[in-house]
Amino acid sequence: MVEPSTSWSAWRRFLAAWRRGGPDGRPAAIRLAWGQLLERQAVAELWLGERRVSRTVLSEGRYRIGRDPACELPIEAESLSRVHAILEKPRPGERDFALEDFNSANGLFHRDRRISAIRLRHGDQVQLGSPLKGSAPRLRYQHPRSPLEQALNLLGLGSLLGSGLLVGGLLLVSSVGGGSRIRLISGPVRIVSASGQQIDAKEGSATALPSLQAYPLHLRQALMASEEARFGWNSGVDLFGTLRSVLLGSGGGSGLTQQVARIYYPEVGTDYSLNRKLRELWVALQLEVGYSKNQILKMYLDRAHLGLGTDGFEQASRLYFRKSATELDVGQAAFLVGLLPSPNGYSPCNAKDPTAGRERRDLVLKLMHEQGYLGDQQLVDAQRRPLNIDPSACRDSSFSSYPFFSDYVLGELEGTRFGLNLAQKASGGNYYVVSTIDPKLQQLAQQQLQRFLEGPAARVGLTQGALISLNYRSGKILAYVGGGDYSRSSFDRVQALRQPGSTFKLFPYLAALEAGTTPEQLISCAPLSYVAGCRQGSGSISVARGFADSENVVALRLAEKAGLRQVLRKARQLGIGTPLDADFNTMLGGRETLLYELARAYAVVANGGRSVPMHGVSKIYDLGICRSIYSLATCPERGVTIPIGEQPRQLLRASDAAVMDDLLAEVVRSGTGRAAAVVADGRGKTGTTDNGVDVLFIGYSPALEILTAIWMGNDDNRPAQQASGALVAELWGRYMAAISAGKQS
């Protein structure tokens, strides 16, 4: 924002010009001063770590950002593409610029989320590349308001404050008439495995009881005594508390309905500004018009924030006391209510003050006694009773189990299959989603990948990995690990653009088989274009041997025989959707694609050439209709969605799929994937890019009917020359062998 002194100086000059004019007359002086009131500059700063590399005042042009020196905003960094992003105004004359990814290798990240484009605002920071700390440059965008814009903003705030009383009066009239625009309340998306185990990535996925009466009376009384004794008869807002909060710039000062407004409508905000308080009052008054007191009270009990990742008294009760809120005694109810002002601060898991929870409980009990909810002896008995908190609460309340997968599920819910708008505050969310994940396989995948990253992978310079397992008959995703540590980086590498290396050779070989090539056919080992000949020397080699040994020249000759465009058609047919070119580089896996799409393509081969409908969602319950997770069995049919299965299609001739299955088996028996041979019926293909930047293994076991695809590398594309697909085949073998052993035990 423009400095206040600068803004006031501009206005003083304008007033002086209006009163006294200037050397060239009053109109010229006014025009000059008016121009200064409108002055503002858009500035783009490029940073590497704590060092500012460049500062550019932006005009109306188009700016390329990348490591190519020809870019208007060049910066040398390994994680950048030659042209990484484009900075320009969406339309001429608009105030702010937009930043758009230019099909870069490592993308753009805003607030730890990958984005394709963003409308920039003053103070925005966008990371150019992988979100690992210090691993990529940052773009800082500065475009403060002009003095005139500042004045208009202050005028708007003043007008909003002045209209507050008028709005309150209008809402009062609305309440008499029974009108309110707030009729539908959204909720969280709760994701579970088929067994009902919660696996959400986001902490605080609320659990509601079916009715207000299901919550014990003493819990409701504790809430009234502590939070708002006048809730039953007031207007839903605490005007004096609100005014105090605004004047002091502090939290608090909100009635219970105002708190519900903040919980259910995040756009209200959480800052201490007057603007937020007015938004909060507006929503609270409409809630009072549209809902009964009992409904609002239940909404609060269902979703109040209680710390340690819990939302709602039912979820908090199960965390702290390992039982439903319906079974809470008066002391336990008072303990949970006592957490509300500062849930994590008053938590018994807070090592700084472990007695805070007990003290807050006793305070709530005292308030209940003062307001007549507890007798003298009841107060003494409740204060003497031990809290008896589950000792595992503090350990179990960190990040949920499978965050990468649950993020994927949210994407599937919002994708073309279901088309849910989860971002819509009025109606998004409040779903109970049964997923396809197998908790045992997921835990095994996470453990095996993490151990390998800390051991063999670390020794050759690899720091990241991704894994996806699916049942290639049904398409159910059984395990999904998007990286090593979600708490450090939520970037999903299962769906990241990386070079597939020799795993892409599946498509030239399939195209060649379709064109009539046989495994026994001999192919020349002579060099072709810039590609060297076979490692065995000159002469010829069979198609099967060339695939097992991953000979580049064999793959290229087969691609030429089938036709490069036919190879691309085959890749598209099997589900590869990323940009591909009909050239030798693509045939050898030099164009970026997604591990997710490669897994789907290999699954078609494993499934006898038939399509595989990969998915992570088995069933969706709309809790707005079902009312509670405890009444799913009686949920009306309109509240339950069972996904329509994909129509099976024969994408490959069954004979070609069978031949490719044999070729993949030979890779494991005697080729580059021998490290995976610990799985007796293993099939698969290794992939290694230049200098070990990307290493992969994709394979399956017919006995298990499970396909697993694994990628390893570094987010900043740092080479690991000693790494190879054979190393990843070793991890694949360990993981799949462990699955087999678990099924036999």
Side-chain angles (χ1 to χ4, degrees):
M1 183 176 290
V2 175
E3 292 293 327
S5 59
T6 305
S7 179
W8 285 117
S9 298
W11 281 106
R12 282 197 296 269
R13 287 193 293 270
F14 179 78
L15 292 174
W18 186 271
R19 287 197 304 265
R20 297 190 296 272
D24 299 325
R26 178 177 293 177
I30 291 175
R31 283 195 299 272
L32 177 63
W34 179 256
Q36 292 172 343
L37 287 176
L38 297 174
E39 280 183 358
R40 51 179 166 79
Q41 285 184 337
V43 176
E45 297 179 350
L46 292 176
W47 291 73
L48 270 175
E50 299 302 314
R51 179 172 64 90
R52 188 175 70 187
V53 177
S54 65
R55 183 181 187 274
T56 304
V57 176
L58 303 174
S59 61
E60 291 289 328
R62 185 172 186 261
Y63 297 84
R64 295 170 297 172
I65 304 173
R67 55 184 174 85
D68 191 328
C71 290
E72 289 76 16
L73 296 174
I75 181 169
E76 188 60 37
E78 289 184 0
S79 61
L80 290 188
S81 299
R82 293 185 65 82
V83 177
H84 197 93
I86 300 296
L87 183 66
E88 65 179 338
K89 290 187 177 180
R91 286 181 293 275
E94 287 203 3
R95 183 186 192 279
D96 285 302
F97 283 72
L99 183 68
E100 183 175 1
D101 189 6
F102 194 69
N103 290 326
S104 64
N106 292 315
L108 303 176
F109 290 82
H110 183 245
R111 297 176 180 171
D112 201 29
R113 295 290 179 186
R114 185 160 187 166
I115 58 173
S116 58
I118 183 174
R119 287 282 189 98
L120 294 169
R121 295 293 181 265
H122 174 62
D124 275 347
Q125 293 193 57
V126 179
Q127 195 155 0
L128 309 174
S130 169
L132 296 178
K133 186 180 293 184
S135 65
R138 303 187 310 281
L139 171 76
R140 288 185 180 177
Y141 179 74
Q142 306 288 337
H143 199 183
R145 294 189 181 105
S146 68
L148 180 61
E149 287 173 330
Q150 282 194 60
L152 291 174
N153 184 62
L154 291 173
L155 181 62
L157 289 175
S159 300
L160 185 62
L161 177 62
S163 63
L165 291 176
L166 177 62
V167 168
L170 292 174
L171 281 173
L172 180 61
V173 173
S174 174
S175 67
V176 172
S180 172
R181 290 184 300 171
I182 296 180
R183 292 295 182 187
L184 183 61
I185 293 294
S186 67
V189 176
R190 189 177 186 195
I191 306 170
V192 300
S193 67
S195 62
Q197 176 183 335
Q198 186 172 342
I199 61 169
D200 311 63
K202 301 293 181 288
E203 297 186 26
S205 192
T207 304
L209 292 179
S211 66
L212 179 63
Q213 289 68 35
Y215 292 99
L217 176 61
H218 49 255
L219 172 59
R220 288 175 270 157
Q221 292 172 336
L223 184 61
M224 293 298 96
S226 175
E227 291 298 299
E228 193 175 359
R230 296 170 288 112
F231 172 72
W233 52 267
N234 71 9
S235 65
V237 297
D238 184 346
L239 292 176
F240 292 108
T242 298
L243 182 61
R244 181 183 69 249
S245 174
V246 170
L247 293 176
L248 297 179
S250 63
S254 297
L256 195 146
T257 309
Q258 289 171 265
Q259 295 180 54
V260 170
R262 284 203 307 272
I263 293 170
Y264 282 80
Y265 291 87
E267 63 267 28
V268 165
T270 57
D271 57 277
Y272 300 147
S273 67
L274 173 62
N275 226 357
R276 192 270 286 178
K277 280 295 181 182
L278 290 174
R279 289 194 300 270
E280 181 183 288
L281 289 171
W282 170 268
V283 176
L285 286 167
Q286 291 202 68
L287 286 172
E288 287 284 336
V289 170
Y291 293 89
S292 69
K293 290 290 187 180
N294 282 346
Q295 287 175 314
I296 294 172
L297 179 58
K298 183 178 185 298
M299 289 159 63
Y300 189 86
L301 290 165
D302 289 346
R303 295 271 291 279
H305 302 305
L306 285 156
L308 299 181
T310 61
D311 280 356
F313 282 84
E314 173 67 8
Q315 194 175 35
S317 177
R318 291 185 180 278
L319 174 68
Y320 282 113
F321 303 114
R322 224 185 305 166
K323 61 183 177 182
S324 171
T326 60
E327 305 171 47
L328 291 171
D329 63 36
V330 66
Q332 292 166 336
F335 163 78
L336 293 179
V337 169
L339 297 176
L340 288 168
S342 179
N344 290 322
Y346 294 141
S347 167
C349 301
N350 185 350
K352 293 182 179 179
D353 188 4
T355 65
R358 174 183 55 79
E359 292 173 352
R360 291 293 304 175
R361 178 203 66 176
D362 291 350
L363 174 61
V364 173
L365 290 171
K366 184 178 179 182
L367 290 172
M368 293 177 71
H369 176 258
E370 291 173 353
Q371 294 181 33
Y373 295 129
L374 292 179
D376 294 342
Q377 190 59 47
Q378 289 176 307
L379 172 64
V380 173
D381 291 344
Q383 288 178 331
R384 286 176 51 81
R385 190 176 179 86
L387 282 175
N388 199 23
I389 290 172
D390 182 354
S392 67
C394 301
R395 298 194 302 271
D396 293 346
S397 60
S398 58
F399 254 114
S400 304
S401 299
Y402 318 137
F404 288 109
F405 176 70
S406 55
D407 282 355
Y408 164 80
V409 168
L410 292 176
E412 188 172 310
L413 293 174
E414 293 181 306
T416 55
R417 190 180 191 197
F418 300 110
L420 292 176
N421 184 1
L422 302 180
Q424 188 173 336
K425 302 304 180 185
S427 59
N430 215 13
Y431 297 107
Y432 181 91
V433 180
V434 181
S435 74
T436 61
I437 206 75
D438 183 323
K440 291 183 179 178
L441 263 65
Q442 178 69 24
Q443 292 284 4
L444 181 63
Q446 292 177 172
Q447 292 168 2
Q448 293 275 3
L449 179 60
Q450 192 61 44
R451 288 173 186 168
F452 207 78
L453 286 172
E454 294 169 357
R459 288 194 287 273
V460 297
L462 299 174
T463 59
Q464 271 296 355
L467 180 154
I468 181 171
S469 291
L470 63 139
N471 181 304
Y472 61 73
R473 300 291 186 200
S474 65
K476 292 181 179 179
I477 296 174
L478 306 175
Y480 190 109
V481 187
D485 188 343
Y486 186 91
S487 64
R488 293 185 178 180
S489 171
S490 61
F491 180 49
D492 183 0
R493 297 154 188 88
V494 172
Q495 300 194 71
L497 286 168
R498 307 297 301 202
Q499 292 182 4
S502 292
T503 59
F504 193 86
K505 291 176 182 174
L506 176 77
F507 307 111
Y509 276 80
L510 283 172
L513 291 174
E514 190 176 72
T517 300
T518 63
E520 301 80 18
Q521 188 172 335
L522 296 179
I523 304 295
S524 171
C525 277
L528 180 64
S529 185
Y530 59 86
V531 177
C534 299
R535 286 183 288 271
Q536 71 173 26
S538 60
S540 300
I541 191 173
S542 71
V543 169
R545 192 71 256 157
F547 189 74
D549 293 341
S550 200
E551 296 289 3
N552 289 342
V553 70
V554 175
L556 289 183
R557 291 191 185 279
L558 291 175
E560 279 196 323
K561 180 178 179 180
L564 301 189
R565 296 200 174 277
Q566 186 64 15
V567 173
L568 298 191
R569 190 189 71 81
K570 186 60 61 179
R572 296 282 183 236
Q573 185 182 24
L574 269 61
I576 303 299
T578 50
L580 300 173
D581 296 320
D583 57 23
F584 281 3
N585 187 32
T586 297
M587 300 302 112
L588 299 179
R591 293 280 184 262
E592 294 166 331
T593 186
L594 310 180
L595 185 68
Y596 179 88
E597 293 183 347
L598 288 168
R600 180 169 55 193
Y602 273 75
V604 172
V605 175
N607 197 32
R610 292 181 295 278
S611 60
V612 177
M614 281 178 64
H615 62 283
V617 175
S618 293
K619 190 179 293 187
I620 304 171
Y621 292 94
D622 185 342
L623 294 182
I625 298 172
C626 305
R627 310 309 302 170
S628 168
I629 64 169
Y630 301 107
S631 55
L632 298 180
T634 57
C635 183
E637 186 176 344
R638 63 190 178 88
V640 184
T641 299
I642 299 176
I644 299 174
E646 183 177 326
Q647 188 72 32
R649 293 171 296 152
Q650 193 73 34
L651 302 180
L652 301 173
R653 291 185 308 208
S655 58
D656 290 343
V659 172
M660 182 52 69
D661 178 79
D662 289 339
L663 295 180
L664 291 167
E666 192 60 33
V667 171
V668 175
R669 282 195 297 266
S670 64
T672 57
R674 287 188 297 273
V678 292
V679 179
D681 65 342
R683 285 111 161 93
K685 185 72 186 76
T686 56
T688 307
T689 62
D690 291 344
N691 299 320
V693 172
D694 297 291
V695 289
L696 305 91
F697 187 85
I698 305 173
Y700 56 92
S701 161
L704 297 174
E705 294 190 346
I706 293 175
L707 179 141
T708 297
I710 304 175
W711 165 87
M712 300 192 81
N714 295 306
D715 283 332
D716 58 3
N717 289 324
R718 188 171 68 253
Q721 296 185 5
Q722 296 180 2
S724 69
L727 182 72
V728 187
E730 180 185 344
L731 171 58
W732 184 94
R734 291 185 186 183
Y735 168 65
M736 294 290 282
I739 295 175
S740 180
K743 288 184 177 294
Q744 293 172 8
S745 61

